[in-house]
């Protein structure tokens, strides 16, 4: 089968019929299916869906009574899907079905995931109230700050996208709450994403199910994704280890000064011990899954990297403080930041051997022309 469209529904009344009709028009005689994964507790919505399933051969309905929640409903849809390609969309016509054709065209060009976006030129988020826009903006920014893989995508919190089924093959998806696309972006296997503009519509009927509870779920989901995504976890662990190093350095330094050690000896010793402790923690935690070669070799590389880092720190400081007359504390802080970035990347790919994975994100001009026409 070419395509499965997964549509989560919750008390949507007759809206799914509109979606099914529209998809039928859009895809005519293509080989596709629509899977409604329904958590409704209003019996009318449920019976409308079953009626739809009985009258449309491309419609399948999975009604759940034991589970609830948008994210898990979509994952259930993924399990049932038989298509080479899988799309996800809402049941309330806020995601224009015609855009699916544009998405198909892009999948055929070899992209792994197509994300229609409200926030690329030609896109429009018109269907939301200004309050919802603000909430949605905050959620997006938080996600993009926290997760590297989400950063390059302009509309990662939407529930509208298409992907090859291989993206999620063998991947355990465990979303909390609504943001299934973020779950796919963080855990999925893919190389190329394309974004195409689309106009978010107003709901045809009924009300949004967004709630405070869902905002809270989103925060929990973010924390979970960060802690379970190797590339993000690493950056945070590295920063945490760095902070622990500063504390250890200060502690030992203070103790030694109290014991009347020469200041410079105290400084060199506490600095070295902090470096050793940073190395051990990074080796055990930050890059525990990327160790190879002898411990001593890793330590030597780590020490060399740190040494160059100290040089970089001093260099940045010198340029800022002496040449540009920046405040001495700000100059040092800038030096530390640059050195930390240096340390992180060199350690990632040299001291330890983290696999590099380049994901490309393109904004498509093809769809741009079409939507402007
Ligand atoms: N199965 C199931 N279970 N479906 C649900 C549930 C649930 O608990 N809650 C909501 N849905 C379905 C709705 O029936 C609808 O088809 C879709 O999920 C989106 O729900 P809406 O209530 O229409 O959400 P929205 O319009 O406020 O939010 C949409 O736009 C946001 C963009 O800001 C969704 O697409 C969000 O994912 C998106 O972030
Ligand atoms: Mn909606």
């Amino acid at each position: 089968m070419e395509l499965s469209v997964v549509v989560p529904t919750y008390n949507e009344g007759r809206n799914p019929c509109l979606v099914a009709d529209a998809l039928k028009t859009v895809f005519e005689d293509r080989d596709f299916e629509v899977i409604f994964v329904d958590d409704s507790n209003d019996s009318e919505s449920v019976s409308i869906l079953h009626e739809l399933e009985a009258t449309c051969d491309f419609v399948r309905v999975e009604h759940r009574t034991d589970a609830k929640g948008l994210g898990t409903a979509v994952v259930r849809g993924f399990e049932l899907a038989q298509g080479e390609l899988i799309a996800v969309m809402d049941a309330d016509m806020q995601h224009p079905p015609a855009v699916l054709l544009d998405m198909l065209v892009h999948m055929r060009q070899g992209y792994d995931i197509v994300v229609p976006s409200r926030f690329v030129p030609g896109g429009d988020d018109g269907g939301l109230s200004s309050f919802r826009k603000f909430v949605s903006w905050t959620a997006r920014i938080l996600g993009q700050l926290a997760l590297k893989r989400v950063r390059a995508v302009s509309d990662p919190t939407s529930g509208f996208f298409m992907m090859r089924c291989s993206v999620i093959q063998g991947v355990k998806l465990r979303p909390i709450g609504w943001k299934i696309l973020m779950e796919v972006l963080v855990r999925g296997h893919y190389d190329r994403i394309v974004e195409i503009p689309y106009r978010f519509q107003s709901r045809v009927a009924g009300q949004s199910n967004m709630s405070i509870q869902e905002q809270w779920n989103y925060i929990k989901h973010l924390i979970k994704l960060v802690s379970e995504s190797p590339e993000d976890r690493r950056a945070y662990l590295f920063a945490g280890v760095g902070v622990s190093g500063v504390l250890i350095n200060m502690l030992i330094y203070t103790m030694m000064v109290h014991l009347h050690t020469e200041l410079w000896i105290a400084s060199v010793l506490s600095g070295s011990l902090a470096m050793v402790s940073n190395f051990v923690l990074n080796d055990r935690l930050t890059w525990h899954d990327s160790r190879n070669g002898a411990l001593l070799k890793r330590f030597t590389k780590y020490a060399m990297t740190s040494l160059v880092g100290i040089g970089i720190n001093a260099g940045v400081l010198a340029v800022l403080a002496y040449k540009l007359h920046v405040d001495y504390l700000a100059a040092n802080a800038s030096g530390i930041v640059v050195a930390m970035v240096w340390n992180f990347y060199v350690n990632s790919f040299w001291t330890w051997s983290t696999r590099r994975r380049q994901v490309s994100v393109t904004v498509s001009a093809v769809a741009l022309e079409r939507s402007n026409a």
Side-chain angles (χ1 to χ4, degrees):
M1 177 172 298
E2 185 178 11
L3 171 70
S4 301
V5 185
V6 173
V7 186
T9 54
Y10 179 72
N11 296 350
E12 288 288 352
R14 298 207 65 82
N15 289 343
C17 305
L18 301 178
V19 173
D21 271 352
L23 290 177
K24 189 173 175 185
T25 315
V26 167
F27 292 129
E28 289 167 51
D29 37 30
R30 279 176 192 270
D31 188 18
F32 79 105
E33 63 179 354
V34 183
I35 304 173
F36 290 101
V37 184
D38 180 58
D39 292 335
S40 301
N41 53 16
D42 111 52
S43 56
E44 200 194 329
S45 293
V46 182
S47 58
I48 289 174
L49 276 170
H50 285 307
E51 208 175 292
L52 190 64
E53 184 179 32
T55 51
C56 293
D57 51 358
F58 60 90
V59 168
R60 292 164 70 192
V61 173
E62 167 86 348
H63 177 68
R64 308 193 300 174
T65 43
D66 52 338
K68 198 181 165 299
L70 178 45
T72 60
V74 174
V75 172
R76 181 73 190 119
F78 291 165
E79 287 163 9
L80 297 170
Q82 292 172 337
E84 281 294 308
L85 305 176
I86 303 178
V88 179
M89 71 189 294
D90 290 353
D92 54 6
M93 296 295 272
Q94 287 189 284
H95 298 151
V99 177
L100 285 164
L101 273 185
D102 265 344
M103 294 157 88
L104 263 185
V105 169
H106 284 85
M107 294 301 310
R108 294 283 165 255
Q109 292 171 2
Y111 291 102
D112 300 308
I113 306 179
V114 185
V115 185
S117 170
R118 297 165 284 181
F119 311 110
V120 294
D124 180 40
D125 67 349
L128 291 178
S129 70
S130 23
F131 176 68
R132 269 299 302 276
K133 275 185 194 169
F134 174 72
V135 172
S136 163
W137 178 83
T138 314
R140 230 169 23 252
I141 295 295
L142 279 180
Q144 287 170 335
L145 284 177
L147 295 157
K148 182 161 185 253
R149 291 217 193 169
V150 169
R151 216 157 291 159
V153 178
S154 67
D155 200 353
T157 57
S158 106
F160 194 24
F161 59 98
M162 190 183 287
M163 64 183 173
R164 291 181 197 293
C165 64
S166 58
V167 170
I168 51 162
Q169 220 143 49
V171 177
K172 233 189 150 72
L173 297 172
R174 293 181 303 271
I176 306 176
W178 279 35
K179 305 308 176 190
I180 183 67
L181 175 56
M182 301 220 334
E183 181 81 9
V184 169
L185 288 175
V186 171
R187 300 189 202 270
H189 307 303
Y190 56 87
D191 301 309
R192 296 175 70 205
I193 302 180
V194 64
E195 297 192 277
I196 60 176
Y198 87 104
R199 293 166 181 277
F200 192 69
Q201 307 294 311
S202 359
R203 224 176 203 286
V204 275
Q207 271 183 8
S208 164
N209 298 295
M210 186 39 88
S211 61
I212 294 291
Q213 175 67 40
E214 284 309 331
Q215 316 293 350
W216 174 233
N217 279 339
Y218 177 64
I219 302 293
K220 287 200 281 188
H221 192 194
L222 273 189
I223 293 171
K224 186 167 170 206
L225 283 176
V226 167
S227 67
E228 291 175 10
S229 130
E231 51 194 318
D232 296 297
R233 202 189 46 213
R234 253 191 261 290
Y236 292 102
L237 282 174
F238 179 76
V241 169
V243 170
S244 82
V246 172
L247 295 178
I248 288 174
N249 188 329
M250 308 261 266
L251 192 75
I252 296 177
Y253 180 77
T254 320
M255 271 168 32
M256 292 179 74
V257 171
H258 274 285
L259 295 172
H260 307 292
T261 317
E262 282 285 339
L263 288 192
W264 72 270
I265 298 179
S267 161
V268 168
L269 270 175
S270 57
S272 309
L273 284 173
M275 192 184 77
V276 172
S277 129
N278 279 4
F279 170 76
V280 171
L281 289 174
N282 279 322
D283 198 58
R284 299 287 121 184
L285 300 172
T286 316
W287 283 285
H288 75 95
D289 53 354
S290 315
R291 279 180 256 166
N292 64 3
L295 181 81
L296 196 63
K297 197 166 147 198
R298 292 200 295 278
F299 181 71
T300 313
K301 287 178 172 179
Y302 186 84
M304 283 166 71
T305 308
S306 305
L307 222 59
V308 178
I310 292 172
I312 290 176
N313 188 347
V316 171
L317 180 138
V319 170
L320 290 181
Y322 295 132
K323 293 247 181 272
L324 303 172
H325 305 292
V326 175
D327 172 75
Y328 77 104
L329 283 179
N332 194 31
S334 317
I336 291 175
V337 170
V338 177
M340 265 184 77
V341 172
W342 155 269
N343 283 344
F344 181 75
Y345 282 102
V346 175
N347 281 325
S348 248
F349 299 117
W350 187 53
T351 313
W352 290 277
S353 44
T354 314
R355 265 182 300 130
R356 211 185 294 251
R357 244 209 46 209
Q358 262 334 324
V359 169
S360 82
V361 182
T362 318
V363 175
S364 170
V366 179
L368 205 68
E369 281 156 25
R370 204 167 310 181
S371 79
N372 287 341

